[in-house]
Amino acid sequence: GDSVTQMEGPVTLSEEAFLTINCTYTATGYPSLFWYVQYPGEGLQLLLKATKADDKGSNKGFEATYRKETTSFHLEKGSVQVSDSAVYFCALTEDSGAGSYQLTFGKGTKLSVIP
Amino acid sequence: EAGVAQSPRYKIIEKRQSVAFWCNPISGHATLYWYQQILGQGPKLLIQFQNNGVVDDSQLPKDRFSAERLKGVDSTLKIQPAKLEDSAVYLCASSLQGTATNSPLHFGNGTRLTVT
C-alpha cells in the first residue's frame, strides 16, 4: 500500500537558517503530494501541495518539488523564523478505487527555531 | 468562517469503558473524516463520510469503534469498550468534496483520549 517516510526529528535550527525536511513516498499510481503543518495548540492545516511530476508547491516562503524519478517531495525554506516552529507532516493521496481519496501521512517532523 | 469544532478537548477513561467524540464540520462541507493520531505517528484515517453515507471505513476496528453522521452534518465517533492502545488524538476533518487534491481538508483541534 501507499506509504510516506519523513526524516526523523526533532530538528532545531537558529533563526534565518536554511531548512530541509526530507520526504519520500511509495504509491501504486500517480499521487498528489502535500505538506501539512501543525502549530502548537492548533489543528493541522495545509501548507502546500503538488499534483503532478515537476510541480512546485509554495506558500509562506516554503517550497517543495514533486520529483517522480526519486519519489520525493522535500520541504525547503531559505530562512526560517521562530514562528515556523511546528510539526510538519508530508502526505499523499490517490484514488483508492472506491471513491475514497484518503490522505496517507508520514510520522511528522518537529521543528524548533531558536532566536 | 468558523472552523471544525470538536469536543471534548480531553478525555480520560479506564479500559473497557465507553467514550464518544463529537464533531461539527464547516458549514456546507459534504465530506467528513475521522483520523486517529497515536503519539509519534502521523494521522491514520478511520472513516470517511460523504454527506451521511460511508465512503471508506476499511481501517475502522468495527468490533469496538462506530461512527455516524446523521443528517449529513454533525458526526459522533464511539469506542466501546476502550483498550489501552486506543490512547490517541482523534481528529475530525471536513472538506467541500471528497478529493483532497482539489478540496483541502480542514482539521479540528482534536480530542486527546487517554485510556488507563
Side-chain angles (χ1 to χ4, degrees):
Chain A
D2 296 350
S3 66
V4 175
T5 303
Q6 298 182 224
M7 64 185 288
E8 295 283 331
V11 174
T12 302
L13 295 174
S14 297
E15 207 165 21
E16 299 184 2
F18 184 86
L19 168 71
T20 300
I21 300 178
N22 290 338
C23 171
T24 57
Y25 67 89
T26 302
T28 53
Y30 299 95
S32 295
L33 303 175
F34 307 81
W35 278 99
Y36 277 78
V37 59
Q38 187 170 30
Y39 297 104
E42 300 183 16
L44 280 162
Q45 54 187 277
L46 179 65
L47 180 60
L48 54 83
K49 70 176 183 182
T51 59
K52 61 183 187 295
D54 299 325
D55 266 2
K56 177 184 284 187
S58 61
N59 186 24
K60 299 182 180 181
F62 291 89
E63 294 182 340
T65 301
Y66 189 142
R67 301 289 188 198
K68 189 171 184 298
E69 64 277 13
T70 55
T71 62
S72 65
F73 193 55
H74 304 322
L75 182 68
E76 297 182 337
K77 187 174 185 182
S79 176
V80 294
Q81 305 300 313
V82 173
S83 57
D84 294 326
S85 297
V87 181
Y88 293 83
F89 292 89
C90 186
L92 67 80
T93 187
E94 61 177 343
D95 184 6
S96 67
S100 168
Y101 291 79
Q102 67 167 285
L103 280 170
T104 299
F105 287 89
K107 292 185 176 182
T109 302
K110 183 175 182 180
L111 170 67
S112 297
V113 181
I114 55 177
Chain B
E1 65 181 2
V4 175
Q6 290 189 245
S7 67
R9 192 79 172 89
Y10 303 94
K11 189 72 178 179
I12 301 174
I13 62 172
E14 295 181 350
K15 59 183 178 183
R16 291 187 288 274
Q17 287 186 323
S18 62
V19 64
F21 313 126
W22 174 81
C23 172
N24 185 21
I26 292 174
S27 178
H29 280 195
T31 309
L32 185 146
Y33 312 78
W34 283 102
Y35 280 83
Q36 179 193 57
Q37 186 177 10
I38 294 173
L39 185 65
Q41 298 183 21
K44 182 187 81 172
L45 180 70
L46 293 175
I47 189 167
Q48 176 184 343
F49 292 95
Q50 182 73 17
N51 296 309
N52 60 351
V54 175
V55 174
D56 185 349
D57 63 357
S58 56
Q59 299 188 87
L60 186 74
K62 299 180 185 63
D63 57 334
R64 297 184 301 105
F65 286 65
S66 65
E68 60 182 10
R69 190 183 184 198
L70 299 177
K71 301 180 181 179
V73 182
D74 292 7
S75 177
T76 55
L77 176 69
K78 297 179 181 178
I79 308 174
Q80 182 179 14
K83 293 185 176 181
L84 295 176
E85 59 261 35
D86 298 332
S87 294
V89 176
Y90 291 84
L91 299 168
C92 180
S94 69
S95 65
L96 278 172
Q97 303 169 14
T99 64
T101 298
N102 297 321
S103 185
L105 273 67
H106 296 259
F107 285 84
N109 288 345
T111 296
R112 183 178 297 277
L113 173 67
T114 302
V115 182
T116 61

